[in-house]
Amino acid sequence: MMQDYEVVVGIEVHVELATESKVFCGCRTAFGAEPNTQTCPVCLGMPGALPVLNRRALEYAIRTALALNCSIADRTKFDRKNYFYPDLPKGYQISQYDLPIGSNGYIYVDVEGEAKRIRIKRVHLEEETAKLMHAGDDIISATHSLLDFNRAGIPLVEIVSEADMRSADEARAYLSKLRSILLAMGVSDCKMEEGSMRCEANISVMPRGSKEFGTLVELKNIASFRAVHRAIQYEAARQIEVVSSGGAVARETRHWDDARGETAFMRGKEEAHDYRYFPDPDLGPIVIEKPWVDRIGDEMPELPDAKGERYMREWDLPKYDASQIADSRDLSEFFEKTCAIVGDGREVAKWILGEVLASLNATGIELSESKLTPELLAELIELVQTGKISGKIAKSVFEEVFNEGKRPGDIVRNRGLLQISDVGELVSIVEKVIDANPGPVADYHAGKTRALGFLVGQVMKETRGRANPQETNRILKEELDRRA
Amino acid sequence: MGVSKEETARIAELARLSLDEAELARAQGDLSEIVSYVNKIADLNTDGVAPTVQPCTVSNAWREDVALPSLSREEALANAPDRQGEFLRVPSIIQGEGDGE
Amino acid sequence: MKLCDMTIHELAMLLKAGEATSMEITKSVLDRIDEVEELIGAYVTVTRDEALEQANAADERIAIARKRGDFSGISPLTGIPLALKDNVCTKGTRTTCSSRMLADFVPPYDATVVGRLRDLGAVIVGKTNMDEFAMGSSTENSAFHVTRNPWDLERVPGGSSGGSAAAVAAGEAIGALGTDTGGSIRQPASFCGLVGMKPTYGRVSRYGVVAFSSSLDQVGPMTKDVRDCAIMLAAISGRDMRDATSSPEPVPDYSSLLEGSVEGLTVGVPAEFLHSGLDSGIRELMDGAIRMLQEAGLEVAEVSLPHFEHAIAVYYLISSAEASSNLARIDGVRYGYRAPDASGVQELIRRSRSEAFGPEVKRRIMLGTHALSSKHYEEHYVKALKARTLLIEDMNQAFNKCDCMICPTCPTVAFKIGEKPDDPVAVYLMDIYTTIVNLTGVPAVSVPCGALGGLPVGAQLIGKAFDEGTLLRIAYSLEKACAISDRRAPVAAADGRRGK
Ligand SMILES: [Mg+2]
Ligand SMILES: [Zn+2]
């Protein structure tokens, strides 16, 4: 049944911009401050207070729009979106209605190995609301709500996609690509768990192959990447169920209940708001001059896609590896710093996508929180490259470097793990092994070359893995041939 | 052209004003009268005329991204009708009373 | 003459010469308040103790200047007792907008204009009564009490800055700030025999002034004469980084521009203003004022404002639309009146607003919400914005032919308390001469030009944007020609008789 239908998804994302001060006043935006200590008459909506635009917030919005390949408005303005809610101090939100900063953009998202183009309808700047918490255990039993206005007035960009996604997977891929772009731009920390990135989805279903979209349902309260995927899957299945049993999907807004794993009715179309948008007379028009946009473009950090292509070019990385590193600001920064020391991108990439990612996953921490530095990883790689330790030894040392930040050279020295490449020493060990294993030696002489592997293993055992593998092979062969 | 009672009630709710029957009737009368007066601008030919939001407008009046001192919590909440510790307090949102946006 | 009956510039000279102290002046004003406030009701809050402290500080400042022989840090406003309309935020002193909603609201900050006055060492005597949220033209819409006109206690002082006008006319303040959205400074100035100016939009910061209609509101002076007006205007004008609509235009020394010649300037008489329906007494006074300007050397030219008749409709649509949004923040959540025992937060908002807003405020919120609602947005709000453009074009055309325009400030003299027409549209039509000025952003000043039946009548002079200098110079010559600036309201004049 599911396969008879196609899911159509459009996504609206709100992202808090990482400015020092709020969008229309000078209050700080720091996360986690004591409640109600980052407020002023403006962001509290006191009588008489007036907004003044933060230039950097506008610049970040322009940068975001450029990164999403939008056209930038040459004239824009701010509008008031009027509605009453206790988290909205002025009774209206300063937002942008008919002249968004950016429009008609797109990004490419990886869908089953193919780059799919998802169009961006608009990007605009607006202000954040206050934080509203329920005083009791849950929303049902609480008789009161508590307000913290620290968040009110933090700049937000709203990014609205076209309904170009066709599955929960695509929606998740879109969001994660968006996040990697915004992180690379340095405009937001995009932490869904701290609410600095939030998303709403528009979902409809239609018979496969149809050109006409079904009735659209808005989904709110999606608080994580995992929730996006679950919520869309749930809602699509619900709608398909309705349609295939002969019913009609209602045009409504629904709420994602993450704990129950289901969506619930919030309000219908007839209760849709009349926001009475009109131009905010407290803020004059904004003229965005071309040279300014060009400068913002020029000064813009490299986009993940461009970065990935550069890695493929410079270090000959496979496409998948290149984009995996490039899509993450943390990984790509680390990668480039390490490459700058050791000059072997392929080797560095192998380490980052192998041991480093595995350790991050195992410990659940961010790369920036680990004790590993580009210098330490570079030192480890250099020890292998110069033949001081084997790759295998290097891997066994890595964990200690990652967890404790010790220098690889010190560990290797202290534990006596330096590779034995000295021919004299290796010859005496090889002779000892040959003498101790007459059976395999005879096998070898009888043409069973597999026995060589066993003998190499014995040398490694004898040296606790420190013997230089290439040298060991060579000497062992020579010695066996000599005795043949 | 009058304004209907339903329309008056809808406008009152949008503005979060609750009117009893007598007030609603009065508001309907007032609104109808004022609306029929202001409707005279309908006769005005405004083809090709751009709207003016503000006279003598200053464009690009912005500030730099510099953090300034905030109010203390006590100053910020001094006028609060109800508080709970560090927070301002309001009765809960009742289901169906409307959502945040 | 008592100190409290003198002008700012007269008192500034006495202060500088050491012939009076701010303490003496302030006490004279406070004594007058003790004496007549019960009759007039100009104030919502009198800040007696703070005023005395500020007077003391001003006297010290003047004493130091005298000792150093350097008066450069002394302004003509240093030590002068002033009153503020109660929609101008004052840190630590309640700012009510004469509304039940904000009866106990104490702002944690000063409006920019208040900060500037404080910096100059002015003494703030108190906060004056007004029509609730500045909506009205009689001060009868105050939630607290009516204010009486010092010229006739049976009559209104005008509005919405009626308290400021009455205070200055009665000697309960030397000068005052009002706010003007559609005539709220000029009309009460006209009713109370004062000079009242609405500066160019953007000339004076609106930061900290409780917004009625953001694209129309301006703060301005209400004073006993034109020179005082120039002094106060210079003090409050200029760019404010906290108000994005404030202008970077430089602020000239308006006082020094007063004496210049008006020879060769042209005063325009808009044909539409002096329509046939105008009261004949007021018409005669206007003709007299035009003659006086002519005698002072101005040319007279007839000009036209073809879309004038639409100004009131445009004004009510735009101002109410903006007001409906500006007053949305008054919701009982963070400050102000909160309805008790609401069972949910939306009920709390609905009930707080319904219980504490007065009828006129609700009427405007309803109209504004209607005009902005999706169904009527184009036909009402957008249409009004386009009509506003036509009015601005009219104004520009007219100013191609003249340097200022003259017309009555108000079609009537002060009316009796309680005699305001029941019909809201009839009341709105009284703003016929003043609203076009706010819509087009230009400055205008009301100057007393005579009296009818013992009640003052003001002439309105309208100037070019940011040309308050020329406007004040013409106003000054009209004032000299009328020679009525010495007249005092009966309440003030009766001061000697009532005695102690
Ligand atoms: Mg939004
Ligand atoms: Zn703030």
Side-chain angles (χ1 to χ4, degrees), chain C residues 245-481:
Chain C
T245 63
S246 83
S247 169
E249 283 283 322
V251 181
D253 175 12
Y254 295 116
S255 301
S256 70
L257 296 174
L258 296 179
E259 306 279 1
S261 165
V262 293
E263 204 100 20
L265 293 174
T266 303
V267 59
V269 182
E272 295 82 2
F273 278 177
L274 300 175
H275 59 86
S276 52
L278 181 62
D279 176 280
S280 62
I282 290 187
R283 170 96 211 208
E284 268 170 42
L285 285 172
M286 279 310 116
D287 289 343
I290 294 166
R291 222 169 22 248
M292 282 185 258
L293 287 175
Q294 216 164 2
E295 281 160 17
L298 280 107
E299 309 278 333
V300 177
E302 190 177 294
V303 294
S304 172
L305 299 166
H307 300 94
F308 168 68
E309 59 164 325
H310 293 284
I312 295 273
V314 174
Y315 169 78
Y316 276 91
L317 285 168
I318 292 175
S319 66
S320 303
E322 292 182 8
S324 72
S325 175
N326 284 333
L327 293 183
R329 68 183 64 193
I330 318 281
D331 58 3
V333 171
R334 297 164 315 289
Y335 48 77
Y337 175 80
R338 181 183 280 196
D341 310 320
S343 61
V345 76
Q346 293 292 351
E347 186 196 318
L348 177 143
I349 295 173
R350 207 179 284 117
R351 273 186 41 209
S352 299
R353 290 166 61 83
S354 304
E355 290 167 20
F357 278 142
E360 184 59 27
V361 174
K362 288 183 189 169
R363 200 153 28 225
R364 310 257 189 140
I365 291 175
M366 290 290 285
L367 172 61
T369 306
H370 184 267
L372 288 178
S373 65
S374 52
K375 236 162 75 192
H376 306 284
Y377 184 76
E378 286 294 329
E379 65 172 15
H380 280 155
Y381 180 70
V382 175
K383 184 86 179 177
L385 295 186
K386 289 179 178 173
R388 187 173 189 176
T389 307
L390 295 176
L391 289 166
I392 290 171
E393 285 168 4
D394 283 1
M395 207 46 107
N396 291 338
Q397 286 291 322
F399 277 125
N400 282 336
K401 292 193 358 195
C402 61
D403 301 287
C404 87
M405 283 181 252
I406 189 166
C407 69
T409 303
C410 191
T412 65
V413 292
F415 47 90
K416 289 204 164 147
I417 291 166
E419 274 191 3
K420 180 180 66 170
D422 224 15
D423 166 7
V425 171
V427 177
Y428 297 171
L429 284 172
M430 290 176 36
D431 302 334
I432 186 150
Y433 298 120
T434 45
T435 51
I436 191 171
V437 168
N438 302 76
L439 287 167
T440 56
V442 298
V445 60
S446 178
V447 184
C449 69
L452 281 181
L455 295 169
V457 171
Q460 177 175 234
L461 295 169
I462 304 172
K464 293 180 183 174
F466 297 105
D467 196 10
E468 283 86 354
T470 304
L471 184 62
L472 284 167
R473 189 170 0 139
I474 297 169
Y476 187 65
S477 69
L478 179 63
E479 179 183 71
K480 271 196 297 194

Side-chain angles (χ1 to χ4, degrees), chain A residues 271-287:
Chain A
E271 300 158 51
H273 294 139
D274 185 344
Y275 289 122
R276 289 156 286 138
Y277 279 101
F278 75 106
D280 191 334
D282 287 331
L283 293 158
I286 300 293
V287 179

